[in-house]
Amino acid sequence: MLALSALTPAVAADRAGMAPSPGTAGGKAGPLPPKLPRNFHGRGRYIVQDLGVTVPFTWTGRDGDSQMIAGGPRYPIWFTNLIYRNSLYTLTYKWPGLDDHECSRIPGFNLDTLNQKLGTSRFVGRETLQRNPRRHVNHWRVGVVVPQLPPGKFLRFPLALGDIYVDQRDRGTFWQVLQFGVQNLFDPELDEWLVMNTFKHTPGKVRLPRQCPR
């Protein structure tokens, strides 16, 4: 009890996923941006609406590494994305019209890199996902726009955008993500959904496929 009461207001608020919002009267708290935890595992669905495809989806994390797996050998799409030992890997086993199945690697990317970007998210609002059970979430928007130029009349391109829905009581519990942009290059409409049915804060399994260079 003494340790908790000695925390500064900002640190104490962070434990609950809340922080004082700048300029709010009476110190009223506002939500903190999403933050992917070091250890978790969950299951759900991966949805590519323009292809009419919905496949099983798992998302796991262990000690800061993480892995997404969508589909499988008997589904029309099958891929895995990993953050593994300070690199980002993508391996697509199956996708309509795709002949290239090499594993790509981007070095210098880890959980801290991801969470730093998530920290720049803009708060959209509090919402309720109409599922069973209903999920009370905070909706956030994060994006990468190029080139980086000051305000004004410049030609800009949204390289990657994401709408992220995290639990209102825990910013580290992710219930839904919409990805839009060049990172979805294989999809004609450039947008894909992941929808979680479960999300637990215990370690999952993360395995680098043998096709990917270490």
Side-chain angles (χ1 to χ4, degrees), residues 21-172:
S21 298
T24 54
K28 188 177 294 185
L32 285 168
K35 185 177 182 180
L36 192 70
R38 290 181 59 82
N39 295 292
F40 65 93
H41 71 278
R43 294 182 176 275
R45 297 166 289 140
Y46 200 86
I47 304 167
V48 188
Q49 291 188 350
D50 57 297
L51 297 182
V53 170
T54 299
V55 298
F57 177 78
T58 61
W59 193 5
T60 58
R62 176 178 287 272
D63 297 329
D65 292 337
S66 61
Q67 182 169 20
M68 296 177 170
I69 301 176
R74 61 191 182 91
Y75 294 97
I77 65 173
W78 178 23
F79 68 84
T80 183
N81 294 330
L82 298 98
I83 298 174
Y84 186 81
R85 297 184 182 178
N86 296 311
S87 289
L88 175 65
Y89 295 89
T90 299
L91 174 59
T92 303
Y93 300 99
K94 292 176 65 177
W95 193 278
L98 182 68
D99 297 322
D100 180 6
H101 303 287
E102 292 186 6
C103 180
S104 65
R105 173 177 176 255
I106 300 175
F109 192 96
N110 56 29
L111 179 63
D112 289 338
T113 309
L114 174 62
N115 280 330
Q116 286 173 11
K117 187 59 188 174
L118 291 176
T120 68
S121 301
R122 282 83 67 195
F123 183 52
V124 177
R126 302 178 188 275
E127 300 178 11
T128 300
L129 300 178
Q130 302 294 325
R131 303 208 300 264
N132 187 17
R134 293 184 177 186
R135 306 288 188 189
H136 301 289
V137 297
N138 290 327
H139 178 183
W140 296 85
R141 166 72 58 88
V142 65
V144 177
V145 176
V146 293
Q148 293 291 316
L149 294 170
K153 190 176 180 180
F154 299 103
L155 189 62
R156 314 171 199 271
F157 297 94
L159 184 67
L161 296 174
D163 283 87
I164 302 168
Y165 303 77
V166 294
D167 198 285
Q168 289 182 3
R169 295 171 298 179
D170 183 356
R171 63 175 177 148

Side-chain angles (χ1 to χ4, degrees), residues 173-185:
T173 297
F174 287 60
W175 289 123
Q176 187 166 284
V177 177
L178 167 65
Q179 305 176 81
F180 180 84
V182 176
Q183 79 269 27
N184 306 103
L185 189 60

